[in-house]
């Protein structure tokens, strides 16, 4: 409430215009702040709403009072009440000529309205006028409204003015214009696709604020298409180096960090551009190493920059020195007392494990501490780290810890997530099939029905397939252990339905296979399951099918079958069930029991779950039956499209219509069979292309007053956009940052200095770490922690799967089952969800297009200094001419600012057609189509020469349906039909 009081007083004071505060408004704020309940606050606000409704509609209200009323409306909206009755007055205030009132009106409408509101159309003209104002404060207010209120339909109305403002003399206007274009890109990317080059040019702005604002749209564009912006790597590196060396004004510092948010955005961009690209990454090593060395780790913002450096190092092509510096920073994070820093350290460690798995072993005790931390968020992040570092040597410990944690939480969403991770790790790194089955039992037992049904199918198929080799003894042992474990579990209350289905299936298939358990014992357990879960029809169906299998196996073996009384009562109960599925299963059980041994063995052979089932999709087994029926005089099958028993009205349509064979319902009236039928041409055949191609206006190509012209984006002969930066005469920062060099000296960058600097950074960080460690007392390391750390981090450090003989057999079983036809039996353990392990190879260099590369040993290059030498139009022309004759000189720095025209735009010749040329062509085409349709309609009655004559019936139906239809509606105009 104190904050609301302060905001209310500041809004009511109006000190900029000298109006002073309103006593009524201050009393309103005071009364709301002193309210002791929500009901009392609502009563005060509702009374204020009634007062404003009455006073705001009075005529001749002074501007000072109207401004106060608008502010009070804003205050009402802040408290969650509806002030829509005053929206129109805020819109009117945006039309005022007074600066204070106009800005108040723009502030109010941006808070009141959204981009789909009906009142938006009333302020578009005002925004257009204010964007051209001489007062830059009014222009900024209008640009703020543009960023909040302009929608897809109104973007073209203000786009030319916004583009013109990119060359405004005030840096605040240029920055807000960039923000507006970025907003347009989010709303409608196609509307500004021809303006992407403007973002490249604004990257060279002499104001750091404009440059920083340009990084946001460039980041979005690079995220979508990385390869198109590879040429900007040198520019981004140069900017980041100037920022890190404090070349920006002091006003951009935050907690003594030089422009940290610009650094973070640049590091994100470099991470995208350097991913899998060794040449691009080598240009970044030096500047990233400098940031590791110079960044202050005592403040939150400094740690944020360091964390972003680690993310960048984990994304670009690996460098040993940078990885070492990142490991030192992670060590400081994990040893900190702050949970936030520990969380960042765990997350950063998970990123580096993909590149260097041995880094995790250096911090194993810190990871164990985080795993036992009471902070649930930190614990979950640590489980994510363990998931990434799982291998066959530590999978048992990690999965057991994850299952224990899953049991202790009540969040079903996260419990499902943990269960899926446990299943995935068990399927991928299972040391043995026996351990896999035991682990699945725990997951099913404690996660319940949250487990995916595919996991149950995979488990059943694994048990059916066994080890996948000709090792019957091992397969029998696997199935026996599964039966024993399920007989122990089956007596527990409230087992999940999916788990019970697995239990019933396994007991039915292998309950009596080894002879350890009798058929009566297994059937008694199955009957108990069906009785205990009488409300679950699926479980009962599985239980009845399992009973049928056991009795069938007993009959086939020649043993006498004595059905238990509880089994007989279950069958009688299901025979009268409302479920047809349960009825059928009960009748099948009774029928199987009454058959002899030979018949039962043929119907349900032993271990039939491993047999392949051939599916004949063409039903070729019916060929003999069909042939015999045809010989006996049966009529041959006629496809539906060729049947003439029911006359289809679509046959009366024109032969030019490609959709004449459609069978959907049609709702147009029947026509007389003798009347000529005009053809209905599909919209796709009206013109070769009906796409609307945006044509850039001339104003779009103007950046500043000094720029003479820019080649048209839709030029028919051009394949790329070459920019002219005539307005950029200097860069921000100290002029002594880099020496002027030739325009071709930025093709390569030496990495020797980068390595040296990273070495020094590592030394500094190691010193800081030693100092930090000496201040902090060492935590006691218990033998239990050491043992757990040895279990988690011990064994081979490689992250790729090291399959044992058992796990190899699991994989073979999966591949063997994958080759089989689909069958209604259990599924093999799927290895398709295997975790992607880290040995990633860099993708091929997509930038190697065969162009010559000029290398230079210059240690530092400033691309902005090089741009100054390219401002002469003659140099640009000479560069283009050299490219035309196929010269082999190195491309100049202008290649940094080359964009391709947006796809889908037509050439300038197409855009220069007269406005009525399309209508003339359309008229000629329609006349040809009409004459063709008339000729086609004249031959329609001759199509029906066979079968019953539908003439009389059609005439009657048409007359009945068209009693109230006028000739104009019966034969609509072809123009209205096509264009409407």
């Amino acid at each position: 409430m104190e904050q609301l009081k302060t905001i209310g007083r500041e809004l009511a004071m109006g000190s900029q215009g000298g109006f002073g505060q309103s006593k009524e408004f201050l009393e309103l704020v005071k009364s709301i702040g002193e309210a002791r309940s929500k009901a009392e606050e609502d009563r005060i606000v509702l009374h204020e709403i009634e007062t404003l409704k009455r006073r705001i509609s009075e005529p001749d209200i002074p501007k000072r009072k109207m401004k106060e009323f608008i502010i009070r409306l804003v205050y009402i909206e802040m408290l969650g009440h509806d002030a829509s009755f005053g929206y129109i007055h805020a819109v009117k205030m945006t039309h005022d000529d007074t600066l204070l009132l106009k800005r108040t009106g723009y502030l109010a409408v941006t808070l009141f309205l959204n981009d789909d509101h009906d009142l938006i159309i009333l302020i578009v003209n005002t925004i257009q006028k204010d964007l051209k104002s001489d007062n830059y404060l009014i222009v900024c207010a209008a640009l703020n409204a543009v960023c909040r209120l302009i929608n897809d339909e109104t973007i073209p109305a203000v786009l030319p003015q916004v583009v013109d403002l990119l060359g405004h003399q005030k840096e605040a206007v240029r920055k807000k214009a960039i923000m507006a274009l970025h907003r347009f890109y989010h709303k409608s990317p196609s509307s500004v696709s021809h303006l992407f080059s403007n973002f490249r040019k604004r990257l060279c702005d002499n104001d750091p604020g404009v440059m920083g604002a340009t990084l946001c749209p460039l980041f979005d564009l690079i995220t979508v298409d990385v390869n198109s912006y590879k040429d900007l790597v040198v520019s981004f590196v140069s900017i980041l180096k100037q920022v890190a060396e404090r070349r920006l004004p002091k006003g951009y510092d935050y907690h003594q960090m030089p422009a940290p948010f610009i650094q973070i955005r640049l590091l994100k961009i470099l991470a995208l551009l350097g991913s899998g690209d060794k040449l691009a990454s080598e240009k970044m090593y030096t500047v990233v190493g400098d940031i590791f060395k110079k960044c202050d780790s005592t403040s939150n913002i400094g740690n944020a920059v360091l964390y972003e450096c680690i993310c960048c190092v984990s994304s670009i092509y690996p460098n040993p020195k940078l990885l070492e510096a990142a490991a030192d920073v992670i060590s400081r994070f994990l040893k900190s007392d702050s949970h936030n820093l520990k969380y960042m350290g765990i997350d950063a460690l998970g990123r580096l494990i993909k590149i260097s798995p041995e880094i995790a072993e250096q911090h194993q005790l810190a990871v164990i501490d985080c795993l036992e931390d009471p902070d649930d968020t930190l614990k979950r992040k640590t489980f994510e780290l363990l998931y990434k570092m799982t291998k066959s040597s530590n999978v048992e410990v990690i999965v057991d810890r994850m299952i224990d944690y899953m049991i202790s939480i009540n969040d079903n969403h996260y419990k499902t997530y943990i269960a899926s991770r446990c299943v995935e790790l068990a399927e991928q790194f299972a040391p043995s099939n026996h351990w896999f089955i035991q682990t699945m039992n725990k997951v099913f037992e404690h996660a319940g029905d949250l487990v995916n049904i595919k996991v149950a199918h995979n488990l059943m198929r694994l048990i059916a397939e066994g080890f996948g080799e000709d090792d019957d003894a091992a397969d029998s042992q696997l199935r026996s252990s599964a039966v024993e474990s399920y007989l122990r579990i089956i007596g527990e209350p409230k087992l999940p339905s999916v788990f019970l289905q697995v239990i019933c299936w396994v007991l039915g298939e292998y309950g009596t296979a080894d002879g350890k358990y009798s058929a009566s014992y297994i059937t008694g357990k199955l009957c108990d399951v069906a009785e205990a879960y009488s409300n679950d029809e699926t479980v009962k169906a599985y239980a009845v099918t399992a009973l049928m299998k056991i009795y069938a196996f007993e009959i086939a073996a020649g043993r006498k079958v004595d059905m238990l009384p509880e089994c007989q009562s279950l069958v009688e109960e299901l025979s009268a069930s409302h479920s047809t599925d349960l009825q059928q299963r009960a009748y099948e059980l009774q029928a199987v029991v009454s058959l002899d041994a030979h018949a039962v063995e043929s119907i349900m052979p032993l271990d039939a779950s491993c047999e392949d089932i051939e599916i004949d999709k063409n039903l070729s087994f019916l060929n003999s039956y069909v042939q015999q029926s045809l010989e006996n005089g049966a009529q041959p099958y006629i496809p539906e499209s060729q049947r003439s028993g029911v006359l289809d009205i679509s046959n009366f349509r024109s032969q030019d219509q490609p959709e004449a064979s459609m069978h959907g319902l049609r709702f147009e009236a029947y026509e007389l069979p003798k009347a000529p039928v005009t053809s209905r041409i599909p919209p796709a055949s009206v013109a070769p292309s009906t796409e609307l191609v945006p044509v850039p206006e001339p104003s779009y190509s103007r950046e500043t007053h000094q720029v003479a012209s820019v080649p048209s984006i839709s030029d028919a002969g051009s394949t790329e956009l070459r920019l002219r930066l005539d307005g950029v005469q200097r860069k921000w920062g100290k002029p002594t940052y880099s020496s002027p060099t030739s325009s071709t000296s930025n093709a390569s960058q030496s990495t020797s200095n980068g390595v040296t600097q990273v070495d020094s950074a590592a030394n500094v960080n190691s010193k800081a770490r030693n100092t930090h460690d000496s201040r902090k007392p060492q935590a006691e390391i218990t033998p239990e922690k050491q043992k757990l750390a040895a279990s988690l981090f011990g064994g081979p450090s490689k992250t790729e799967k090291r399959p044992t003989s058992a796990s190899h057999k699991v994989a073979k079983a999966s591949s063997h089952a994958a080759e089989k036809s689909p069958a209604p039996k259990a599924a093999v353990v799927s290895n398709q969800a295997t975790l992607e392990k880290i040995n990633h190879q860099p993708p091929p260099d997509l930038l190697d297009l065969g162009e010559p590369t000029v290398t230079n040993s210059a240690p530092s290059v400033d691309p902005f200094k090089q741009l100054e030498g390219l401002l002469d139009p003659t140099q640009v022309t000479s560069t283009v001419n050299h490219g035309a004759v196929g010269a082999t000189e190195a491309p100049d720095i202008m290649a940094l600012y080359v964009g391709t025209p947006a796809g889908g735009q037509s050439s300038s010749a197409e855009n220069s057609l007269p406005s009525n040329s399309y209508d003339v062509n359309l008229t000629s085409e329609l006349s040809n189509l009409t004459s063709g349709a008339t000729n086609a309609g004249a031959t329609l009655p001759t199509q029906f020469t066979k079968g019953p004559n539908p003439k009389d019936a059609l005439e009657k139906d048409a007359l009945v349906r068209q009693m109230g239809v006028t000739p104009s509606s019966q034969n609509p105009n072809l123009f209205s039909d096509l264009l409407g």
Side-chain angles (χ1 to χ4, degrees):
M1 284 302 171
E2 293 297 329
Q3 293 180 354
L4 289 177
K5 289 180 182 179
T6 304
I7 294 174
R9 291 191 183 98
E10 291 178 355
L11 289 173
M13 285 175 64
S15 57
Q16 294 181 1
F19 290 123
Q21 66 267 26
S22 169
K23 183 178 179 181
E24 295 179 0
F25 187 34
L26 293 180
E27 290 294 334
L28 172 66
V29 175
K30 181 180 179 181
S31 60
I32 291 177
E34 295 174 353
R36 297 185 178 181
S37 65
K38 177 64 175 169
E40 184 179 357
E41 177 187 302
D42 292 342
R43 180 181 57 80
I44 296 172
V45 174
L46 291 176
H47 180 268
E48 178 67 18
I49 290 175
E50 294 298 326
T51 302
L52 287 177
K53 282 183 178 179
R54 183 180 66 257
R55 300 183 62 182
I56 204 169
S57 59
E58 295 177 356
D60 300 332
I61 301 178
K63 292 183 178 180
R64 173 184 173 182
K65 281 293 183 182
M66 181 58 71
K67 172 180 172 293
E68 179 190 327
F69 291 159
I70 296 298
I71 294 175
R72 288 159 75 171
L73 289 174
V74 172
Y75 195 72
I76 290 172
E77 287 271 342
M78 288 169 55
L79 295 175
H81 292 266
D82 182 24
S84 59
F85 62 90
Y87 289 176
I88 187 63
H89 298 282
V91 173
K92 291 180 180 179
M93 187 165 287
T94 61
H95 304 162
D96 200 284
D97 295 332
T98 306
L99 174 61
L100 182 59
L101 297 180
K102 182 180 287 291
R103 296 183 67 181
T104 303
Y106 274 128
L107 173 63
V109 295
T110 52
L111 295 175
F112 290 158
L113 309 181
N114 54 55
D115 56 0
D116 294 331
H117 201 277
D118 296 336
L119 295 178
I120 294 297
I121 194 65
L122 299 180
I123 63 174
V124 173
N125 290 335
T126 305
I127 291 176
Q128 288 178 324
K129 180 174 66 69
D130 292 339
L131 289 177
K132 300 178 181 178
S133 175
D134 295 333
N135 190 335
Y136 80 97
L137 296 176
I138 295 179
V139 176
C140 290
L143 286 173
N144 288 336
V146 165
C147 293
R148 293 293 302 272
L149 303 179
I150 296 300
N151 52 30
D152 299 352
E153 298 177 354
T154 52
I155 284 177
V158 299
L159 184 59
Q161 291 88 344
V162 174
V163 175
D164 290 341
L165 293 176
L166 292 175
H168 199 276
Q169 59 182 356
K170 286 291 184 178
E171 60 276 1
V173 176
R174 299 198 301 272
K175 181 170 67 173
K176 291 183 181 296
I178 288 291
M179 296 167 61
L181 290 179
H182 190 196
R183 170 74 171 180
F184 294 164
Y185 173 74
H186 284 166
K187 281 290 183 180
S188 178
S190 60
S191 64
V192 294
S193 59
H194 58 290
L195 299 174
F196 291 164
S197 58
N198 288 275
F199 297 138
R200 289 173 173 259
K201 290 192 289 185
R202 288 301 103 198
L203 192 63
C204 306
D205 198 283
N206 53 12
D207 183 76
V210 180
M211 181 275 302
T214 309
L215 295 177
C216 296
L218 282 176
F219 175 76
D220 292 345
L221 294 174
I222 293 172
T223 304
V224 176
D225 185 9
V226 177
N227 295 327
S228 297
Y229 297 89
K230 290 281 189 179
D231 53 350
L232 293 180
V233 171
V234 179
S235 298
F236 289 129
V237 169
S238 178
I239 295 173
L240 182 58
K241 190 170 184 179
Q242 294 185 56
V243 174
E245 292 178 353
R246 299 181 180 273
R247 300 298 180 95
L248 270 64
K250 289 292 184 181
Y252 290 91
D253 289 359
Y254 180 77
H255 288 271
Q256 299 181 354
M257 278 291 296
F261 302 105
I262 293 180
Q263 290 191 52
I264 290 174
R265 182 64 64 179
L266 286 169
L267 288 170
K268 287 180 179 291
I269 293 175
L270 292 179
L272 293 175
L273 294 174
S275 178
D277 190 342
K278 184 177 181 180
L279 295 178
S281 300
E282 289 175 350
K283 302 174 183 178
M284 310 173 188
Y285 292 159
T286 302
V287 66
V288 177
D290 290 342
I291 295 177
F292 271 124
K293 182 172 59 176
K294 298 177 180 179
C295 196
D296 181 18
S297 60
T298 59
S299 62
N300 286 334
I301 191 62
N303 291 324
V305 175
L306 287 174
Y307 170 77
E308 202 59 49
C309 285
I310 297 174
C311 296
C312 180
V313 169
S314 63
S315 297
I316 64 178
Y317 195 84
N319 178 269
K321 297 298 182 181
L322 292 182
L323 291 176
E324 183 180 352
D328 292 338
V329 175
I330 291 176
S331 178
R332 295 202 301 269
F333 286 167
L334 292 176
K335 293 178 181 178
S336 173
D337 295 331
S338 172
H339 283 79
N340 293 332
L341 293 182
K342 285 184 178 180
Y343 186 92
M344 290 169 57
I346 292 293
D347 184 79
L349 188 59
R351 295 174 182 270
L352 287 189
I353 280 179
K354 300 177 182 179
I355 303 174
S356 181
E358 61 273 6
I359 293 180
E361 299 178 5
Q362 305 172 10
H363 310 288
Q364 47 186 342
L365 294 178
V367 173
I368 298 302
D369 291 338
C370 294
L371 192 62
E372 298 175 353
D373 196 279
D375 189 339
D376 199 55
T377 304
L378 182 59
K379 187 180 296 185
R380 293 184 180 186
K381 197 65 180 178
T382 307
F383 277 120
E384 285 294 317
L385 173 64
L386 295 179
Y387 169 78
K388 296 177 181 179
M389 54 180 285
T390 304
K391 48 192 174 184
S392 58
S393 61
N394 61 6
V395 63
E396 298 182 42
V397 179
I398 291 178
V399 171
D400 288 343
R401 296 297 295 262
M402 294 175 75
I403 291 177
D404 293 341
Y405 178 69
M406 180 184 66
I407 297 173
S408 64
I409 60 177
N410 297 322
D411 185 0
N412 286 340
H413 176 75
Y414 196 70
K415 182 177 288 189
T416 304
Y417 180 75
I418 289 289
S420 64
R421 288 299 174 92
C422 291
V423 171
E424 186 177 346
L425 293 178
E427 288 180 350
Q428 185 176 3
F429 299 104
S432 65
N433 284 344
H434 178 75
W435 178 86
F436 176 77
I437 292 175
Q438 298 299 325
T439 302
M440 291 297 100
N441 291 347
K442 292 180 182 179
V443 172
F444 277 119
E445 185 177 357
H446 298 291
D449 294 324
L450 301 176
V451 184
N452 195 330
I453 191 63
K454 293 182 180 180
V455 177
H457 294 166
N458 292 341
L459 178 59
M460 290 187 286
R461 176 163 288 185
L462 171 65
I463 297 175
E465 296 286 347
F467 287 93
E469 297 180 356
D470 297 333
D471 191 354
D472 296 336
D475 294 346
S476 299
Q477 182 181 1
L478 170 67
R479 294 161 183 168
S480 298
S481 63
V483 171
E484 291 178 1
S485 63
Y486 291 153
L487 287 175
R488 289 194 303 267
I489 296 174
I490 199 171
E492 297 183 4
K494 295 182 179 180
L495 290 175
S497 175
V498 177
F499 193 28
L500 286 171
Q501 296 171 25
V502 176
I503 292 175
C504 292
W505 185 88
V506 172
L507 293 180
E509 286 283 346
Y510 309 107
T512 59
D514 56 354
K516 187 176 181 179
Y517 301 99
S518 63
S520 59
Y521 179 77
I522 300 296
T523 53
K525 291 291 185 180
L526 292 172
C527 291
D528 293 342
V529 171
E531 182 180 358
Y533 298 90
S534 57
N535 295 329
D536 194 334
E537 294 185 358
T538 306
V539 173
K540 293 171 70 175
Y542 270 79
V544 173
T545 302
L547 290 172
M548 182 168 54
K549 290 179 182 179
I550 292 175
Y551 287 134
F553 296 156
E554 291 294 309
I555 294 173
R559 290 187 287 268
K560 185 179 179 181
V561 174
D562 293 330
M563 188 175 291
L564 297 177
E566 54 266 29
C567 182
Q568 292 179 353
S569 62
L570 175 64
V571 172
E572 293 175 357
E573 176 189 351
L574 297 182
S575 299
S577 175
H578 293 289
S579 173
T580 58
D581 179 64
L582 294 178
Q583 280 190 28
Q584 180 179 352
R585 293 174 188 265
Y587 287 133
E588 288 176 354
L589 174 58
Q590 292 176 344
V592 168
V593 172
S594 62
L595 296 176
D596 58 356
H598 179 71
V600 171
E601 187 177 2
S602 301
I603 295 173
M604 302 185 68
L606 186 64
D607 201 15
S609 60
C610 295
E611 294 182 358
D612 295 334
I613 298 178
E614 300 292 338
I615 299 177
D616 188 3
K617 297 182 179 180
N618 297 325
L619 305 180
S620 59
F621 59 89
L622 294 176
N623 290 342
S624 59
Y625 172 78
V626 172
Q627 184 64 28
Q628 183 179 0
S629 299
L630 292 176
E631 292 176 355
N632 293 336
Q635 294 294 328
Y637 175 77
I638 301 176
E640 185 181 0
S641 59
Q642 300 178 9
R643 299 174 191 174
S644 59
V646 179
L647 193 62
D648 191 358
I649 190 64
S650 62
N651 291 332
F652 288 93
R653 300 168 70 189
S654 172
Q655 299 299 318
D656 294 335
Q657 170 66 301
E659 301 172 352
S661 61
M662 290 178 58
H663 296 281
L665 294 177
R666 299 181 56 80
F667 299 97
E668 59 264 21
Y670 288 101
E671 299 181 6
L672 293 176
K674 294 182 180 181
V677 181
T678 58
S679 64
R680 302 172 64 86
I681 308 302
S685 63
V686 172
S689 174
T690 57
E691 274 188 2
L692 297 178
V693 182
V695 181
E697 298 185 12
S699 59
Y700 294 176
S701 60
R702 185 169 69 255
E703 171 60 25
T704 59
H705 296 291
Q706 289 81 6
V707 179
S709 63
V710 175
S712 175
I713 291 177
S714 59
D715 191 2
S718 64
T719 59
E720 60 182 5
L721 177 65
R722 295 193 174 273
L723 307 176
R724 295 176 58 189
L725 309 178
D726 294 352
V728 184
Q729 295 296 334
R730 63 185 180 90
K731 63 179 183 298
W732 41 265
K734 298 181 180 180
T736 60
Y737 165 59
S738 62
S739 59
T741 56
S742 63
S743 62
T744 59
S745 62
N746 66 329
S748 65
Q749 182 175 353
S750 176
T751 59
S752 59
N753 293 334
V755 175
T756 303
Q757 292 187 12
V758 172
D759 286 335
S760 61
N763 295 332
V764 173
N765 288 332
S766 61
K767 292 179 181 179
R769 185 178 70 256
N770 296 333
T771 305
H772 177 75
D773 295 342
S774 63
R775 293 195 305 267
K776 183 178 178 179
Q778 295 292 335
E780 181 180 358
I781 303 176
T782 61
E784 290 78 5
K785 285 187 179 180
Q786 293 181 350
K787 184 177 180 180
L788 180 59
S791 301
L792 290 175
F793 299 90
S797 61
K798 295 182 179 180
T799 58
E800 63 268 10
K801 181 180 176 182
R802 300 173 59 90
T804 60
S805 60
S807 59
H808 174 69
K809 294 173 183 177
V810 175
K812 183 173 182 180
S814 303
S815 61
H816 173 69
E819 296 173 359
K820 297 182 178 181
S821 303
K825 55 185 181 178
V828 151
V829 179
S830 173
N831 287 329
Q832 296 176 354
T834 57
L835 178 65
E836 182 180 5
K837 301 326 274 178
I838 319 298
N839 252 344
H840 87 164
Q841 297 295 332
D845 189 2
L846 301 179
L847 296 180
D848 188 8
L849 302 179
E851 297 179 356
T853 304
V854 179
T855 59
N856 199 329
S857 59
S860 177
V861 177
D862 188 356
F864 305 115
K865 193 68 179 178
Q866 296 171 358
L867 289 176
E868 296 178 0
L870 299 173
L871 299 179
D872 188 5
T874 59
Q875 296 184 8
V876 179
T877 306
S878 64
T879 304
V880 176
N881 294 334
H882 284 305
V885 297
T888 60
E889 285 90 349
D892 56 8
I893 196 64
M894 206 54 144
L896 292 175
Y897 299 94
V898 174
T900 57
Q905 292 186 353
S906 62
S907 63
S908 59
E910 294 174 348
N911 293 334
S912 61
L913 290 174
S915 59
N916 60 348
S917 61
Y918 176 78
D919 298 334
V920 174
N921 295 333
L922 179 62
T923 306
S924 61
E925 290 183 9
L926 291 176
S927 62
N928 296 333
L929 293 172
T930 307
S931 61
T934 306
N935 296 334
T939 60
L940 277 176
T942 63
Q943 295 176 359
F944 305 96
T945 58
K946 296 182 180 181
N949 186 5
K951 178 177 179 180
D952 298 334
L954 286 176
E955 286 183 353
K956 292 179 181 180
D957 292 342
L959 290 175
V960 171
R961 294 177 181 271
Q962 298 179 2
M963 287 296 292
V965 180
T966 60
S968 59
S969 63
Q970 186 177 0
N971 295 305
N973 193 336
L974 189 57
F975 275 102
S976 60
D977 189 20
L978 290 173
L979 304 179

